[in-house]
Amino acid sequence: FYMTILQDVLFVLTDSDHKAGFKTQCMLLSRMFNLVETHKISQPLYQPSDAAPGTSNKEYVSTFVANLLQRAFSGSGPAG
């Protein structure tokens, strides 16, 4: 359920209607990233069809989050 929870937390954090509990959501997101970065989750977080064999959870989650945020803010345009 890690990826589902991660996606839901990111949705809440990027939705301007969900300002209450922002600090707690950030702490949860930080802990979730830490679990992946410290290899506390040993099983792949992805289906075989979602990533190349041997892809680390860290690499998969990084790509997943980058793509999710890119889609969420695609109408914003580049900063600067």
Side-chain angles (χ1 to χ4, degrees), residues 1-76:
F1 298 107
Y2 179 95
M3 296 306 293
T4 301
I5 295 168
L6 178 62
Q7 190 168 1
D8 288 347
V9 170
L10 286 167
F11 173 78
V12 169
L13 285 172
T14 57
D15 185 358
S16 61
D17 291 336
H18 290 95
K19 293 180 183 175
F22 184 80
K23 183 177 179 180
T24 303
Q25 295 295 325
C26 288
M27 289 172 54
L28 175 60
L29 184 62
S30 175
R31 178 70 175 135
M32 292 182 76
F33 285 152
N34 182 266
L35 289 171
V36 169
E37 292 206 6
T38 58
H39 308 287
K40 300 286 186 196
I41 301 173
S42 59
Q43 297 299 312
L45 293 171
Y46 55 87
Q47 298 297 316
S49 60
D50 293 338
T55 300
S56 69
N57 283 335
K58 182 178 176 181
E59 182 181 358
Y60 179 74
V61 168
S62 294
T63 302
F64 179 85
V65 170
N67 290 336
L68 191 68
L69 292 173
Q70 195 170 37
R71 283 192 308 270
F73 296 104
S74 63
S76 302

